[in-house]
């Protein structure tokens, strides 16, 4: 058995470059050296024995010259030495010298120092020789009555391990420990004693608990945790006991220890599905999240709440606690807030939506008063999206939400303002009754908008939905106000040359009082202020965008003005007013064109923008009915269609989620009555404590796929040939951050192979944890060797090495068999994930390293269908397609799709697939194109590229 399979008690670091000392020099130091020399020599002996040296000649030396010493360091090292030293002869009999050692430890168990007694008792837990333990039993029993709790609690542990391994040595252990528990006052001793009774004699543990069940809330937290575990196990095995202990669990929910409260809430949920129990457990979880300062704890407990919500019968109970859940938003951590808002959104119903919206509105207003930093902006964005979702699901709430959110259109943070704008666009299209309110608020904040992207969106909304004469004229007034005096070019030239009147420039600026370094006041006249800074401060927003060379907003302005002018002509009957409005719109377009062609802006106007403005001018000059339909009807129809499709997709995804959660019961399913359920049927349910322990140890049993190719056999790698003297194959088991290599080694010769060693090395972000121990293989024998490898990042790793061995009786050098390389599959760490289009584009721009070394995979496949190729890539890379199915349906000869995945290490991977079907080469021509990959780390992107290259060709199997 290897160290990976044994419980490891002692770990000692060894310097690989140090020279091992000789046995003679060690013997001299142990016999004649000072205490310090003996300590160093003993340490070297321990390290050599751990490395496989035998050193039988030193055993008596240590017994004679080291064992009698009273130094505490020596005694501690001796405990390690006696743990690892071979205690039996080759035929399995106990060494005679160990009788002397046993006598020494009997004296240590009666030593006046409590540390020596306690550490000796801990050492006895590790002994596996009953002959050594038998003479020590009276001394161990006596330690249960020692004055110091350190000795008593270790005595309980020693009795427990001896009873478990050699019951005949202390058959009355449960009775002895039960009596000890009744009289004991120390919390740690009671906890160890109670833990022993749970595992050794559960009935006695229950008897003790029954006598003190009303005092459980006064016990220490370590004992309370063990009591929770016992109650869970008893009720799990025997459901009729639930009524007896459930009150105790309720009491433990009020414990002062967070760990006890957490375990009690989890146990209560598994024992009872009554609404009162679920509510109490959920309330306990919420209190824990609010009171605990560690964000990891908050996230773990939030996950428990989310698991509760997944159960259909529990969801309604949690809906009443939405307002309590929202108290978690006081946590500054963004990840916690994100999960909390998502949970609240899932639980929102018509009963609590109004209260939810009020709380979220308050949170949004709070973010406006907080000092700006990255998390505040992201949090505001989350709140806006949550309110958006609430308003879409509950249209009555939109009227309360919109006025508050529209204040944020003037926000410097473009991301939050863009989300508000998207929400406003959807609301104004879907809710006709809110249009006047939205347009009024939009006109109020229009002049304060600071970012060009938001300004463009606001212009589009005003141009599309202003239908009354007054609104249209208000928009024109705001545009003129935002543009400043026209013609722009003449006005700017006059400013540059200083031809404007002095009072225009320095109208009412007050004189400023300044403080010098000496602390005296000086007065500075506003007339002496530098003209350029003053001018830039006074420049209206739209003119500022144009002077910076952003003429895309000018194209958007031209479209808006055209829509408004065409609508104004259809509303107002007077010809003179019609002509006046159209002329004003055309004048604005022309003056913008003139500015774009001049040298005043930082960047000249692009040809696309010139074409767009010229087209709008032509439309206004001709005023044809066809153009009126295109500008005023087709645009809105396109938006309406897009929003309808999006709504259908959301409903479809919600329907799939609800179908997943709904427990379907067939008409002929048997009804299970708790009282009539046999014990063995109840035991078939999974033990939560056992599952959590297995998960922590990395031994979770995954359900194997029905397909034999997807089972363990698919992960077996052949390392040597069938004709090699040693045959080896490895099963690669990936468990998150660990890889366990289970290597089967077969001796195919008729000789005994000695010191058969598996030597491994790694390439990439892999690290070998331990060196496998040497083996001796009989002729045609086989053995399993396990090796642990740690993984640091998502990158293709390679494990390579060889097997070296000596042939028994041969005088030649060591033999060596070189192993094939083991390639660690990156797909074990990549999981499909989803993100919004905006987040995808942002990440695509952020992962800049691709500019230095682009990962661009050329499509080289035998697949002839575009959709089939995309599905093949998704299956091969574990990525998720973000492009909607409707966008990919149909056949037009080409396809573009965005793919996204996230690794277990939190690294993002993005891919863009651009493929086409070359029709001119015939119907059987394979797909061609490119796949571009970007990732947070270069290794991950390159590994994904390699994976796609390897899996492009469709297998014929």
């Amino acid at each position: 058995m290897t160290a990976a399979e044994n419980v490891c008690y002692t770990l000692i670091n060894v310097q690989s470059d140090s020279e091992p000392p000789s046995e003679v020099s060690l013997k001299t130091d142990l016999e004649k050296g000072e205490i310090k020399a003996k300590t160093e020599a003993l340490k070297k002996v321990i390290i050599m024995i751990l490395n496989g040296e035998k050193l039988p000649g030193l055993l008596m030396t240590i017994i004679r010259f080291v064992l009698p010493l009273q130094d505490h360091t020596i005694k501690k090292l001796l405990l390690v030495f006696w743990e690892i030293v071979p205690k039996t002869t080759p035929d399995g009999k106990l060494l005679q010298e160990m009788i002397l050692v046993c006598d020494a430890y009997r004296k240590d168990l009666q030593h006046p120092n409590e540390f020596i007694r306690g550490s000796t008792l801990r050492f006895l837990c590790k002994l596996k020789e009953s002959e050594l333990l038998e003479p020590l039993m009276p001394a161990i029993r006596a330690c249960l009555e020692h004055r110091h709790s350190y000795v008593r609690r270790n005595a309980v542990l020693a009795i427990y391990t001896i009873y478990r391994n050699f019951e005949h040595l202390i058959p009355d252990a449960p009775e002895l420990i039960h009596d000890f528990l009744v009289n004991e006052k120390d919390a740690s001793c009671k906890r160890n004693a109670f833990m022993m009774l749970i595992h050794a004699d559960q009935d006695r543990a229950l008897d003790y608990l029954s006598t003190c069940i009303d005092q459980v809330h006064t016990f220490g937290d370590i004992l309370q945790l063990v009591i929770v575990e016992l109650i869970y196990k008893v009720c799990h095995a025997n459901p009729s006991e639930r009524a007896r202990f459930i009150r105790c669990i309720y009491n433990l929910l009020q414990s002062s220890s967070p760990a006890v409260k957490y375990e009690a809430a989890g146990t209560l949920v598994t024992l009872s599905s009554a609404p009162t129990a679920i509510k109490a457990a959920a309330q306990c979880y919420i209190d824990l999240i609010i009171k605990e300062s560690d964000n990891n704890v908050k996230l773990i407990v939030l996950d428990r709440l989310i698991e509760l919500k997944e159960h259909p019968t529990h969801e309604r109970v949690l809906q009443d606690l939405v307002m309590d859940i929202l108290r978690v938003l006081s946590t500054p951590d963004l990840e916690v807030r994100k999960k909390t808002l998502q949970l609240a959104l899932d639980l929102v119903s018509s009963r609590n939506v109004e209260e939810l919206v009020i709380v979220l509105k308050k949170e949004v207003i709070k973010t406006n008063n907080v000092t700006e930093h990255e998390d505040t902006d992201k949090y505001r964005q989350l709140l806006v999206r949550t309110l958006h979702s609430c308003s879409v699901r509950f249209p009555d709430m939109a009227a309360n939400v919109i006025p508050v959110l529209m204040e944020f259109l003037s926000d410097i943070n473009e991301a939050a303002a863009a989300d508000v704008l998207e929400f406003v666009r959807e609301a104004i299209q879907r809710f006709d009754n809110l249009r006047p309110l939205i347009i009024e608020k939009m006109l109020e904040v229009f002049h304060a908008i600071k970012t060009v992207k938001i300004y463009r969106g606001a212009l589009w909304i005003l141009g599309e939905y202003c239908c009354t004469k007054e609104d249209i004229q208000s928009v024109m007034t705001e545009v003129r106000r935002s543009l400043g005096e026209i013609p722009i070019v003449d006005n700017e030239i006059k400013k540059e040359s200083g031809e404007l009147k002095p009072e225009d420039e320095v109208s009412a600026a007050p004189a400023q009082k300044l403080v010098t370094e000496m602390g005296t006041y000086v007065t500075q006249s506003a007339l002496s202020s530098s003209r350029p800074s003053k001018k830039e401060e006074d420049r209206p927003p739209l003119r500022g965008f144009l002077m910076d060379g952003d003429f895309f907003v000018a194209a958007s302005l031209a479209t808006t003005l055209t829509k408004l002018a065409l609508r104004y002509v259809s509303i107002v009957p007077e010809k003179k007013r019609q002509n006046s409005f159209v002329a004003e719109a055309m004048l604005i377009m022309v003056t913008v064109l003139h500015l774009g062609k001049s040298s005043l802006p930082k960047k000249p106007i692009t040809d696309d923008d010139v074409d767009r403005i010229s087209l709008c001018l032509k439309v206004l000059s001709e005023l044809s009915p066809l153009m009126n339909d295109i500008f005023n009807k087709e645009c809105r129809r396109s938006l309406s269609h897009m929003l309808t499709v999006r709504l259908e997709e959301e409903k479809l995804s919600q329907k799939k989620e609800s179908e997943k959660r709904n427990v379907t019961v067939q008409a002929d399913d048997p009804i299970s009555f708790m009282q009539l359920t046999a014990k063995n049927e109840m035991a078939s349910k999974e033990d939560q404590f056992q599952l959590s322990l297995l998960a922590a140890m990395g031994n979770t049993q995954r359900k194997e796929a029905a397909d034999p190719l997807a089972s363990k056999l698919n992960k077996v790698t052949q390392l040597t040939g069938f004709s090699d003297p040693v045959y080896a194959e490895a099963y690669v088991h990936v468990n998150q951050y660990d890889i366990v290599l289970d290597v089967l080694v077969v001796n195919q010769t008729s000789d005994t192979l000695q010191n058969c060693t598996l030597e491994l090395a790694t390439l990439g972000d892999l690290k070998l944890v331990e060196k496998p121990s040497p083996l001796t293989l009989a002729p045609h024998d086989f053995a399993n060797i396990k090796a642990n490898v740690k993984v640091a990042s998502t990158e293709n790793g390679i494990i390579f090495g060889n097997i070296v061995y000596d042939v028994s009786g041969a005088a030649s050098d060591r033999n060596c068999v070189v192993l094939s390389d083991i390639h660690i599959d990156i797909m074990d760490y990549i999981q499909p994930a989803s993100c919004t289009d905006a987040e995808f584009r942002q990440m695509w721009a952020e992962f800049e390293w691709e500019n230095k070394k682009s990962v661009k995979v050329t499509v080289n496949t035998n697949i002839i269908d575009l959709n089939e190729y995309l599905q093949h890539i998704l299956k091969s890379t574990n990525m998720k397609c973000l492009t909607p199915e409707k966008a990919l349906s149909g056949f037009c000869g080409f396809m573009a799709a965005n793919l996204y995945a996230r690794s277990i290490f939190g690294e993002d991977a993005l891919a863009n697939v651009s493929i086409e079907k070359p029709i001119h080469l015939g119907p059987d021509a394979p797909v061609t194109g490119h796949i571009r990959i970007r990732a947070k780390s270069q290794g991950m992107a390159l590994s994904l590229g390699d994976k796609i290259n390897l899996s492009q060709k469709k297998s014929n199997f």
Side-chain angles (χ1 to χ4, degrees):
M1 286 176 70
T2 66
E5 294 166 301
N6 274 326
V7 177
C8 181
Y9 294 109
T10 310
L11 283 173
I12 297 175
N13 180 44
V14 187
Q15 290 182 349
S16 54
D17 55 346
S18 57
E19 189 69 30
S22 66
E23 191 172 336
V24 178
S25 65
L26 287 172
K27 196 169 185 177
T28 308
D29 285 345
L30 290 168
E31 285 180 8
K32 299 173 183 173
E34 296 295 319
I35 293 286
K36 194 173 181 183
K38 288 185 177 184
T39 305
E40 290 302 315
L42 193 54
K43 284 180 182 176
K44 288 173 184 172
V45 170
I46 290 169
I47 288 168
M48 289 173 74
I49 291 175
L50 282 171
N51 284 339
E53 301 288 340
K54 301 297 180 194
L55 305 178
L58 292 179
L59 190 62
M60 266 320 288
T61 307
I62 289 173
I63 290 172
R64 286 176 58 204
F65 297 101
V66 183
L67 195 59
L69 296 173
Q70 293 301 308
D71 182 74
H72 283 200
T73 309
I74 294 276
K75 283 194 172 290
K76 196 169 183 181
L77 286 171
L78 279 171
L79 294 176
V80 178
F81 174 75
W82 296 123
E83 182 189 335
I84 61 171
V85 77
K87 302 172 190 67
T88 54
T89 57
D91 57 356
K93 290 183 180 177
L94 193 72
L95 291 169
Q96 294 296 323
E97 295 91 331
M98 296 310 292
I99 303 299
L100 298 169
V101 178
C102 184
D103 187 58
Y105 280 114
R106 188 178 53 77
K107 288 175 183 172
D108 278 350
L109 287 173
Q110 295 165 348
H111 199 281
N113 184 291
E114 63 270 7
F115 169 74
I116 291 174
R117 277 205 194 196
S119 52
T120 308
L121 286 163
R122 285 178 73 86
F123 158 72
L124 295 179
C125 294
K126 304 168 190 178
L127 276 186
K128 297 288 182 284
E129 289 77 25
S130 60
E131 298 95 324
L132 285 175
L133 290 166
E134 195 170 1
L136 302 175
M137 292 316 298
I140 294 171
R141 281 171 176 265
C143 286
L144 281 176
E145 295 167 10
H146 193 269
R147 60 184 172 77
H148 204 284
S149 61
Y150 178 70
V151 177
R152 296 200 302 274
R153 71 166 171 264
N154 283 307
V156 172
L157 284 178
I159 289 171
Y160 172 40
T161 49
I162 293 166
Y163 177 76
R164 190 176 58 191
N165 297 328
F166 314 105
E167 193 177 334
H168 64 278
L169 292 179
I170 183 162
D172 62 334
E175 188 181 346
L176 179 71
I177 295 299
H178 182 267
D179 295 340
F180 168 80
L181 182 60
V182 171
N183 300 315
E184 181 57 53
K185 297 286 182 262
D186 182 75
S188 60
C189 297
K190 287 173 84 171
R191 181 252 177 208
N192 285 2
F194 194 73
M195 177 64 85
M196 177 192 159
L197 287 182
I198 288 175
H199 295 287
D201 191 344
Q202 206 173 79
D203 291 337
R204 285 185 191 272
L206 285 172
D207 289 343
Y208 171 73
L209 182 58
S210 300
T211 60
C212 60
I213 199 159
D214 295 329
Q215 286 92 42
V216 165
H217 63 280
T218 62
F219 292 168
D221 56 347
I222 53 174
L223 183 56
Q224 286 178 341
L225 281 171
V226 184
I227 289 171
V228 171
E229 185 180 346
L230 172 67
I231 291 172
Y232 176 82
K233 286 186 173 177
V234 169
C235 297
H236 191 264
N238 187 7
S240 60
E241 296 280 358
R242 289 183 184 189
R244 182 179 167 194
F245 293 112
I246 204 158
R247 177 53 52 195
C248 179
I249 293 290
Y250 268 110
N251 291 338
L252 288 175
L253 289 178
Q254 310 304 321
S255 170
S256 57
S257 164
V260 174
K261 288 170 80 170
Y262 176 76
E263 291 295 346
T267 303
L268 185 60
V269 170
T270 56
L271 298 186
S272 172
S273 57
T276 48
I278 301 303
K279 188 170 183 178
Q283 194 69 59
C284 180
Y285 281 147
I286 294 165
D287 290 342
L288 278 175
I289 299 167
I290 293 164
K291 288 175 183 172
E292 280 302 305
S293 56
D294 190 334
N295 287 330
N296 291 320
V297 173
K298 290 177 188 283
L299 290 169
I300 289 166
V301 181
L302 264 173
D303 285 337
R304 298 287 84 76
L305 274 176
I306 291 164
E307 279 175 24
L308 273 183
K309 178 211 68 176
E310 297 300 325
H311 201 287
T313 55
H314 300 164
E315 190 173 6
R316 189 166 178 83
V317 177
L318 286 175
Q319 283 176 353
D320 297 333
L321 296 172
V322 166
M323 299 313 293
D324 290 320
I325 292 169
L326 287 175
R327 286 162 57 206
V328 180
L329 293 177
S330 57
T331 307
D333 184 68
L334 187 69
E335 196 62 34
V336 174
R337 285 171 159 178
K338 192 174 184 178
K339 273 196 174 183
T340 306
L341 285 172
Q342 187 56 53
L343 177 61
L345 196 57
D346 290 342
L347 293 172
V348 74
S349 65
S350 54
R351 290 179 297 143
N352 54 26
V353 66
E354 200 167 337
E355 293 172 324
L356 175 72
V357 167
I358 290 168
V359 172
L360 294 182
K361 277 165 64 178
K362 283 180 184 172
E363 286 294 317
V364 169
I365 293 162
K366 268 190 218 169
T367 62
N368 211 18
N369 305 325
V370 176
T371 313
E372 289 290 331
H373 62 84
E374 193 181 357
D375 274 3
T376 307
D377 296 342
K378 288 180 179 174
Y379 179 45
R380 191 180 300 156
Q381 214 175 336
L382 279 174
L383 289 167
V384 169
R385 286 180 185 174
T386 310
L387 284 167
H388 182 176
S389 302
C390 284
S391 303
V392 170
R393 283 168 61 184
F394 304 96
D396 296 346
M397 292 295 110
N400 297 331
V401 173
I402 287 167
V404 177
L405 290 187
M406 286 187 71
E407 297 293 333
F408 289 95
L409 285 175
S410 58
D411 202 53
I412 299 168
N413 174 25
E414 191 179 287
D419 280 342
V420 173
L421 199 68
E422 190 180 335
F423 170 42
V424 168
R425 186 186 67 182
E426 187 170 345
I428 203 168
Q429 170 64 24
R430 290 184 58 194
F431 313 129
D432 293 346
N433 57 320
L434 294 179
R435 282 182 190 173
L437 171 70
I438 293 173
I439 288 168
E440 183 189 339
K441 291 296 293 180
M442 184 70 83
L443 287 167
E444 278 178 26
V445 299
F446 187 72
H447 68 281
I449 295 173
K450 296 179 180 70
T451 54
V452 67
K453 185 180 174 184
I454 308 306
Y455 199 92
R456 283 202 314 265
L459 268 177
W460 187 91
I461 289 171
L462 289 172
E464 191 63 45
Y465 294 100
C466 286
C467 298
T468 65
K469 184 174 72 171
E470 290 76 17
D471 286 344
I472 293 170
Q473 284 173 337
S474 300
V475 174
M476 181 60 88
T477 307
E478 285 296 334
V479 168
R480 286 297 297 266
R481 179 183 170 191
S482 186
L483 203 56
E485 193 179 330
I486 55 174
I488 300 170
V489 176
D490 293 351
N491 187 256
E492 287 293 324
I493 290 170
K494 281 179 184 177
K495 278 189 180 180
E496 287 292 332
S497 59
E499 287 179 22
L500 290 180
K501 293 177 184 176
E503 56 268 22
D504 291 342
E505 285 188 30
V506 201
S507 50
Q512 289 179 307
K513 276 193 174 180
L514 302 177
V515 183
T516 65
E517 291 175 356
M518 303 293 291
T520 56
Y521 288 97
V522 294
T523 304
Q524 181 185 15
S525 168
L527 289 168
S528 63
S529 298
S530 60
R531 194 178 295 152
S533 63
K534 175 94 174 66
K535 211 167 46 184
E536 284 187 19
E537 280 173 26
D538 287 352
R539 192 173 275 162
L542 183 52
R543 182 179 290 202
F545 300 144
L546 296 175
M547 291 301 288
D548 288 337
D550 196 332
F551 282 97
F552 185 35
V553 73
S556 180
L557 173 66
T559 308
T560 301
L561 290 174
T562 306
K563 287 179 184 176
L564 292 173
L566 290 171
R567 210 170 292 134
Y568 191 84
V569 168
S570 62
I571 294 169
V572 178
E574 294 96 332
K575 203 74 178 167
K576 186 178 177 184
R577 283 193 180 181
Q578 288 179 8
N579 291 339
S580 172
F581 191 91
V582 171
E584 189 176 2
M586 292 174 81
L587 173 64
I588 292 170
M589 291 184 217
V590 170
T591 191
V592 170
L593 262 181
H594 185 201
L595 176 67
K597 296 286 185 182
S598 72
S599 58
L600 291 174
K602 290 178 182 174
K603 288 183 279 185
I605 192 168
T606 62
D607 291 342
D608 287 343
D609 296 331
V610 170
D611 290 347
R612 185 69 178 172
I613 297 170
S614 305
L615 173 70
C616 291
L617 282 167
K618 192 170 189 305
V619 168
L620 286 182
S621 62
E622 293 177 357
L623 296 174
S624 68
L626 174 64
M627 286 297 151
N628 194 5
D629 281 354
I630 290 170
F631 272 85
N632 281 331
K633 291 179 182 174
E634 293 298 327
C635 284
R636 197 174 301 183
R637 200 171 294 152
S638 299
L639 173 66
S640 177
H641 180 63
M642 185 192 81
L643 293 175
T644 308
V645 169
R646 190 187 293 174
L647 199 65
E648 282 175 8
E649 282 175 8
E650 284 176 11
K651 282 181 179 173
L652 196 68
S653 64
Q654 282 174 7
K655 191 179 177 184
K656 282 180 183 173
E657 283 293 320
S658 62
E659 281 174 2
K660 271 186 203 172
R661 282 191 291 171
N662 286 343
V663 182
T664 51
V665 182
Q666 300 299 329
D668 56 349
D669 279 357
I671 299 171
S672 174
F673 292 96
M674 190 67 72
Q675 291 79 357
L676 304 177
T677 310
K679 278 190 183 180
N680 58 350
E681 286 178 31
M682 284 304 299
S684 65
K685 289 185 178 178
E686 293 168 318
D687 186 332
Q688 296 299 321
F689 279 89
Q690 196 64 27
L691 281 178
S692 60
L693 182 64
L694 286 172
M697 293 168 64
N699 295 334
T700 45
Q701 299 295 316
R702 293 180 184 174
K703 291 178 182 175
E704 296 293 350
D707 179 10
L709 288 175
S711 69
K712 284 186 176 182
L713 293 173
N714 200 26
K715 293 195 174 183
V716 171
T717 308
Q718 187 177 332
L719 302 178
T720 63
F722 292 115
S723 58
D724 283 318
V726 176
Y727 172 75
E729 64 182 29
Y731 166 62
V732 183
H733 175 70
V734 178
N735 178 49
Q736 286 214 333
Y737 308 113
D738 299 310
I739 297 171
V740 179
L741 292 181
D742 191 350
V743 184
L744 171 69
V745 180
V746 182
N747 178 6
Q748 300 197 108
T749 67
S750 301
D751 301 315
T752 300
L753 305 185
Q754 294 179 330
N755 292 326
C756 183
T757 310
L758 176 67
E759 296 180 344
L760 296 173
T762 58
L763 195 67
D765 266 351
L766 303 175
K767 186 182 178 185
L768 197 66
V769 175
E770 60 179 342
K771 188 179 176 184
S773 307
L775 298 170
T776 300
L777 286 176
H780 303 289
D781 192 10
F782 64 88
N784 280 66
I785 303 173
K786 287 192 177 177
N788 279 354
V789 178
K790 287 280 179 193
V791 187
S793 73
T794 314
E795 192 174 319
N796 275 346
I798 299 172
I799 301 171
F800 55 93
N802 48 44
I803 292 175
V804 290
Y805 60 90
D806 297 327
V807 178
S808 181
S812 61
D813 292 334
R814 298 198 81 186
N815 298 283
C816 177
V817 178
V818 179
L819 307 177
S820 302
D821 296 345
I822 302 171
H823 290 263
I824 303 302
D825 193 357
I826 186 179
M827 290 308 105
D828 290 315
Y829 309 109
I830 289 183
Q831 298 160 344
S834 58
C835 65
T836 64
D837 285 346
E839 287 166 346
F840 184 92
R841 283 195 292 273
Q842 188 180 347
M843 282 189 282
W844 189 268
E846 280 173 5
F847 298 156
E848 287 179 352
W849 76 264
E850 193 214 23
N851 300 335
K852 299 170 194 168
K853 185 168 182 182
S854 176
V855 176
K856 194 171 183 181
V857 181
T858 305
V859 174
N860 178 20
T861 181
N862 54 4
I863 300 174
I864 59 173
D865 182 70
L866 295 173
N867 218 11
E868 190 182 346
Y869 178 77
L870 178 65
Q871 294 307 320
H872 181 65
I873 290 295
L874 291 175
K875 189 177 176 184
S876 307
T877 59
N878 274 2
M879 297 186 91
K880 182 178 179 179
C881 182
L882 299 179
T883 310
E885 266 185 57
K886 288 196 174 181
L888 299 172
S889 57
F891 179 79
C892 60
F894 65 89
M895 178 188 283
N898 290 335
L899 316 181
Y900 178 63
R902 189 180 285 123
S903 75
I904 60 169
F905 304 100
E907 300 165 320
D908 299 299
L910 317 173
N912 174 259
V913 179
S914 299
I915 48 178
E916 66 173 337
K917 171 90 172 169
I919 301 168
H920 62 282
L921 297 177
D924 294 331
V927 170
T928 61
H930 294 283
I931 301 171
R932 293 182 69 190
I933 303 158
R934 291 192 180 191
K936 201 166 188 178
S937 65
Q938 183 169 347
M940 186 176 181
L942 292 171
S943 302
L944 260 179
D946 293 343
K947 181 70 183 174
I948 291 172
N949 270 329
L950 287 170
S951 61
Q952 277 199 73
K953 300 233 179 210
K954 189 182 176 188
S955 174
N956 294 322
F957 299 115

